[in-house]
Amino acid sequence: MNAPDSATLDHPTAEPAAAAECALSHQDELRDQGYTIMRSAIGRRQLDELRSAIDQRLSGTAIADHGDHLHETNLVAKESIFREVAQHPLVLATVEGLLGEDCILSSCNQGTRKPECSAQAMHRDMHIWGPSLPWMPIPIGIQVAWCVDDFTIQSGATMLVPGSHLRADARADEAPIAAVAPAGSMILFDARTYHAGGANRSDRFRRAVLCFYVRSWLKPQSDHKRSIDPALTADLSTTMARLLGFQRQSPVEREDGTSQILPAPGATGFYG
């Protein structure tokens, strides 16, 4: 099944009803094959802002060099454009249909594949919770890769093993497909799906933003409640506050031994 063209949904303020209708097909593809592609789903303004923000950050001190790629974490705490795209209505309608309407944002990172780099090792995005998390027969996380550049076989498009999310005994050496998509697209895949960044055989960087949505009861990769500037919380949308975990949270412990609920729109205690 091919999801309908989402080119008309090119802005986070697109009509929620239109996003919800389109999301159903993407949910079906995620259930059946473990991935789906929203092609050309954002407009030129957002794409240009993403490129500008990433290029400025690539020269910063927060960038980690992992040999084959450059990486930076917790982007939603740093730039408004990343908070904007994390709330894209088509993405949220799709992931909420699989993870629940109370799902949260585990992380928002950028991964830039270097020119002439080799392919990443195939893996699932389950390892972050350690060996104590058993195999789950339901989706517990959806990774969303925003294609800031064209994802081609030459530039290192994400490699995916279709159907591996349905089998606990799936192997990393099974034949993958390349998730080829133009810049401005989003590639969504189940956390249980085997995947890897492809080999970038071009002479240019291949930039991407990765937003990882998980069920509300899972511990996120980024500790948003500690890392978000308190001055920022007053201006968060209700949706963003929920994605960052402020609406249903345990108190944050302070150095003096006391605890508090960090102020944010709609923030409540864990039990009330």
Side-chain angles (χ1 to χ4, degrees):
M1 178 187 297
N2 292 321
D5 185 6
S6 54
T8 58
L9 297 170
D10 62 354
H11 194 276
T13 56
E15 289 296 327
E21 181 179 356
C22 189
L24 293 176
S25 293
H26 289 295
Q27 290 170 13
D28 286 342
E29 289 193 347
L30 279 162
R31 289 189 188 97
D32 294 343
Q33 59 191 26
Y35 75 94
T36 189
I37 301 176
M38 301 175 179
R39 301 185 186 279
S40 304
I42 61 172
R44 174 55 59 180
R45 177 193 65 82
Q46 286 181 310
L47 186 56
D48 287 346
E49 287 191 29
L50 283 172
R51 287 172 169 169
S52 176
I54 290 175
D55 286 347
Q56 290 179 22
R57 305 201 66 81
L58 283 176
S59 60
T61 58
I63 293 294
D65 190 333
H66 292 284
D68 59 350
H69 71 283
L70 302 172
H71 186 77
E72 183 179 6
T73 62
N74 205 10
L75 296 178
V76 291
K78 301 169 182 177
E79 302 267 358
S80 61
I81 183 59
F82 301 116
R83 295 190 292 276
E84 183 178 330
V85 298
Q87 300 173 78
H88 192 286
L90 179 55
V91 169
L92 290 185
T94 300
V95 301
E96 287 173 0
L98 296 173
L99 305 176
E101 294 182 356
D102 61 343
C103 66
I104 60 174
L105 182 69
S106 177
S107 59
C108 179
N109 306 329
Q110 74 97 346
T112 296
R113 304 291 295 167
K114 291 182 178 180
E116 304 296 338
C117 74
S118 58
Q120 187 182 26
M122 297 294 287
H123 62 282
R124 287 167 158 157
D125 284 340
M126 306 285 287
H127 62 281
I128 62 172
W129 296 292
S132 61
L133 183 69
W135 172 260
M136 291 288 184
I138 58 171
I140 62 171
I142 302 294
Q143 187 75 263
V144 181
W146 292 74
C147 304
V148 180
D149 296 305
D150 291 339
F151 272 42
T152 67
I153 294 176
Q154 183 73 11
S155 70
T158 300
M159 309 299 290
L160 300 157
V161 178
S164 57
H165 66 303
L166 298 176
R167 295 177 286 115
D169 60 352
R171 303 191 317 276
D173 60 355
E174 295 180 27
I177 58 96
V180 173
S185 302
M186 288 96 85
I187 301 167
L188 291 74
F189 52 91
D190 192 301
R192 298 168 297 170
T193 301
Y194 270 111
H195 65 280
N200 184 359
R201 300 183 179 89
S202 74
D203 59 358
R204 297 184 178 185
F205 288 105
R206 195 272 282 151
R207 299 163 290 182
V209 173
L210 302 169
C211 291
F212 191 26
Y213 302 85
V214 300
R215 291 187 183 269
S216 60
W217 41 266
L218 281 169
K219 183 177 181 179
Q221 284 181 291
S222 295
D223 190 348
H224 303 298
K225 294 189 287 291
R226 291 181 185 271
S227 61
I228 296 290
D229 186 340
L232 184 65
T233 61
D235 296 324
L236 293 175
S237 68
T238 301
T239 297
M240 198 69 235
R242 185 260 295 179
L243 289 172
L244 296 179
F246 283 106
Q247 290 190 352
R248 301 290 287 176
Q249 59 168 314
S250 301
V252 172
E253 296 180 2
R254 297 186 293 197
E255 292 182 1
D256 62 4
T258 61
S259 62
Q260 70 175 104
I261 296 291
L262 296 185
T268 64
F270 188 78
Y271 295 107

